[in-house]
Amino acid sequence: MVEKRTALRRRPQLSEEVASHVRHRIMSGEVSPGDFIRLDETAAELGVSVTPVREALLTLRGEGIVELVPHRGYRVSPLTPEDIVDIFWLQGRIAVELVRRAAPKITDAELDRLAELTAALSIAVENGKPEDVENCEFEFHRVLNRLAESAKLAWFLNNATRYTPTRLYATDREWGRAAVRNHEELIDALVRNDIDAACELMKQQFTDGAERLIAHRG
């Protein structure tokens, strides 16, 4: 998948943005295990100095995504299908618990908002607007996560989803249409107050995400 890269502005969290960029490339399979991430090439690609790139790679080394090879630089660590399943399993477990806590508190206003976001997601998918797809998907889950009133769990989920290559999914129309169907069924389950069905549908989102990413990476 070829994307146009834009220069990142200089600001305090710049190294975090560089880390997110490299993390996405690794998780999506744009770079493979064993490949080296070159500081100068990455800096030139993003229009930044090598300092935030170096800081980003130190962060990713701490996450086990890259490893430092003496005198050669940073190399992408192995990432197996089992690793991907584990990552999405963790995300799914947290997301399911959040929707379980949110379901009894949901009101007609929130249900209407979820329906609006799902309709907007469908339009974005069909129009091929990945940025809008990402935004709608993020806002949909944020509505539920806020209702759960479980700040720590939501924080853990936010950190776990850093390993999801969202742009990869947002450009996949098949995934987008499946996400719309899932959201519609999830809303219907919440309207019926069928919490078990809502939890199962939330779990399916992450199981499907893992399966698609494994298939994409080959």
Side-chain angles (χ1 to χ4, degrees):
M1 186 183 304
V2 178
E3 298 182 51
K4 181 180 179 181
R5 305 297 184 187
T6 57
L8 301 179
R9 297 188 300 276
R10 295 180 180 276
R11 48 187 178 270
Q13 67 272 30
L14 186 55
S15 66
E16 297 175 14
E17 296 184 19
V18 175
S20 178
H21 166 81
V22 177
R23 193 184 291 114
H24 169 84
R25 295 194 67 204
I26 293 171
M27 293 302 301
S28 65
E30 290 181 26
V31 290
S32 303
D35 289 348
F36 280 86
I37 306 295
R38 304 298 180 187
L39 272 71
D40 52 350
E41 292 178 3
T42 304
E45 179 183 10
L46 297 177
V48 300
S49 70
V50 296
T51 299
V53 177
R54 185 179 293 108
E55 293 170 351
L57 290 172
L58 285 172
T59 296
L60 296 177
R61 182 189 181 194
E63 297 174 8
I65 294 179
V66 300
E67 55 193 18
L68 179 61
V69 180
H71 311 298
R72 296 195 62 189
Y74 289 92
R75 181 173 61 192
V76 178
S77 300
L79 182 68
T80 67
E82 290 76 16
D83 292 330
I84 294 172
V85 169
D86 289 345
I87 289 169
F88 280 82
W89 173 85
L90 176 61
Q91 294 176 10
R93 285 297 295 266
I94 300 173
V96 165
E97 184 57 31
L98 286 168
V99 79
R100 187 184 301 280
R101 297 182 187 189
K105 305 172 186 177
I106 202 162
T107 67
D108 289 343
E110 279 105 17
L111 288 168
D112 288 344
R113 178 59 177 156
L114 292 176
E116 290 173 2
L117 288 166
T118 300
L121 174 63
S122 180
I123 292 171
V125 169
E126 298 306 324
N127 289 341
K129 295 186 175 180
E131 184 175 348
D132 291 346
V133 170
E134 289 188 68
N135 290 337
C136 290
E137 185 72 5
F138 176 80
E139 289 297 330
F140 185 95
H141 286 276
R142 186 163 69 166
V143 170
L144 293 171
N145 294 346
R146 284 182 170 178
L147 274 173
E149 297 181 318
S150 303
K152 292 296 186 292
L153 274 184
W155 182 87
F156 278 115
L157 179 59
N158 182 61
N159 277 275
T161 53
R162 290 183 303 172
Y163 302 98
T164 301
T166 54
R167 290 195 303 275
L168 177 67
Y169 296 105
T171 56
D172 182 347
R173 186 164 291 169
E174 182 184 346
W175 172 87
R177 289 170 176 166
V180 169
R181 290 193 299 271
N182 181 281
H183 288 355
E184 291 172 343
E185 293 175 10
L186 177 56
I187 293 169
D188 184 59
L190 291 170
V191 169
R192 301 193 317 268
N193 196 33
D194 189 339
I195 298 177
D196 287 342
C199 289
E200 180 60 28
L201 286 161
M202 182 63 75
K203 177 183 175 182
Q204 287 175 14
Q205 291 185 38
F206 291 89
T207 301
D208 177 71
E211 292 173 352
R212 289 178 188 272
L213 182 55
I214 291 169
H216 173 79
R217 291 174 58 90

